[in-house]
Amino acid sequence: MCFLLHLKSEDPLCNIQAGQFVNILVKDIADRILRRPISIHDVDYTNNEIIVVVQKIGKATTKLSLINEGDKLDVVFPLGNSFPLISEKPLLIGGGVGTAPLYYLCKKFNENNIRPTILIGAKTKDQLFLIDKYSSVADVYISTEDGSVGEKGMVTTNSILNQQFTSYLTCGPAPMMKAIAIEAQKRGVDCYVSMENRMACGIGACLCCVADTPKGNVCVCTAGPVFNANDIKW
């Protein structure tokens, strides 16, 4: 189950880039004393809000699902780096809840007069969310493993990949992103991935989100979460 959480700031929002994340303190959870990192789905500067998509899978996210309007949360933002916006014909690829940050990325491309293409993958149609919303900012293609919506199979077998794109920008499960990175390398296309390593502090202090790169270990929360796919040892 996924839900939208609107975080209204008491202070004017700073400049937030697509791919960055927030770190939320969820109090009174005995086995979770550190914060919960969640990617930024959208930013509403008019209402001074950051919108995130939360997947209810554990104690902390379940508690967040019970938040009421007017409740206060301790949130650190914006953290991490962002997706590059230099591509003229980008293909965005999201898997599961990893699709969430790609909406704001679509809007950022729209600001540059570019309507991107987005490929969304899920196991079944029941795991897809906010498709109409994505359709307003991008050309949407879908792959489901059971064929209940869109093309049947993994995103790497979707026919949209036969078209020519100048970059792949992807977020989702690591096996999916690895497969996309391999496909991009075959086609000579730049590929950027948003890593979803387990995070805690969000500032590079706890070292629990370390990723292996050709230059050594780096913290995903500070060096990323967005990396050139060639800079990750899969």
Side-chain angles (χ1 to χ4, degrees), residues 10-11 29 43 57 64 93 98 103 121 131 170 197 209 231:
E10 295 179 348
D11 300 314
I29 302 292
V43 181
I57 55 175
L64 286 177
I93 306 168
Y103 177 73
I131 297 301
T170 181
N197 291 34
C209 65
D231 292 337

Side-chain angles (χ1 to χ4, degrees), residues 5-234:
L5 183 61
H6 290 245
L7 305 170
K8 190 175 183 67
S9 175
E10 295 179 348
D11 300 314
L13 292 175
C14 60
N15 184 29
I16 298 172
Q17 298 301 316
Q20 293 185 299
F21 65 96
V22 301
N23 224 9
I24 303 176
L25 179 63
V26 184
K27 297 180 179 179
D28 303 322
I29 302 292
D31 58 350
R32 181 170 287 279
I33 61 174
L34 295 173
R35 294 173 180 268
R36 187 75 169 89
I38 302 176
S39 59
I40 294 172
H41 171 67
D42 194 11
V43 181
D44 183 348
Y45 286 101
T46 301
N47 294 312
N48 217 40
E49 289 182 344
I50 294 173
I51 300 96
V52 299
V53 175
V54 183
Q55 184 178 24
K56 191 168 73 169
I57 55 175
K59 293 179 181 178
T61 49
T62 297
K63 186 165 184 178
L64 286 177
S65 72
L66 302 175
I67 291 291
N68 296 310
E69 184 175 355
D71 289 347
K72 291 186 178 293
L73 285 173
D74 187 328
V75 183
V76 178
F77 69 91
L79 298 173
N81 64 357
S82 58
F83 283 105
L85 298 172
I86 56 175
S87 182
E88 294 182 357
K89 191 178 179 183
L91 174 62
L92 284 53
I93 306 168
V97 74
T99 307
L102 301 184
Y103 177 73
Y104 190 48
L105 179 57
C106 287
K107 287 180 62 177
K108 284 295 185 181
F109 274 116
N110 290 173
E111 290 176 5
N112 293 337
N113 296 316
I114 294 173
R115 182 176 175 87
T117 300
I118 183 168
L119 172 58
I120 298 174
K123 290 185 177 181
T124 71
K125 64 179 181 180
D126 295 333
Q127 294 184 352
L128 296 170
F129 59 93
L130 305 173
I131 297 301
D132 290 342
K133 188 176 182 182
Y134 284 91
S135 298
S136 68
V137 292
D139 296 328
V140 178
Y141 293 81
I142 298 172
S143 286
T144 50
E145 292 182 26
D146 65 354
S148 52
V149 178
E151 295 186 19
K152 183 176 182 178
M154 304 294 187
V155 291
T156 48
T157 63
N158 194 287
S159 60
I160 191 62
L161 291 174
N162 294 325
Q163 294 189 23
Q164 197 70 31
F165 292 94
T166 52
S167 68
Y168 294 163
L169 309 170
T170 181
C171 182
M176 183 205 80
M177 292 195 295
K178 179 180 178 180
I180 292 297
I182 293 172
E183 193 67 26
Q185 194 171 48
K186 289 179 183 177
R187 297 171 183 267
V189 177
D190 290 336
C191 182
Y192 292 88
V193 299
S194 179
M195 304 296 290
E196 294 186 324
N197 291 34
R198 195 175 188 87
M199 299 183 194
C201 72
I203 57 173
C206 68
L207 304 180
C208 77
C209 65
V210 167
D212 191 11
T213 76
K215 297 180 181 179
N217 290 337
V218 298
C219 289
V220 170
C221 64
T222 51
V226 179
F227 294 88
N228 186 305
N230 294 328
D231 292 337
I232 296 294
K233 285 187 177 181
W234 299 98

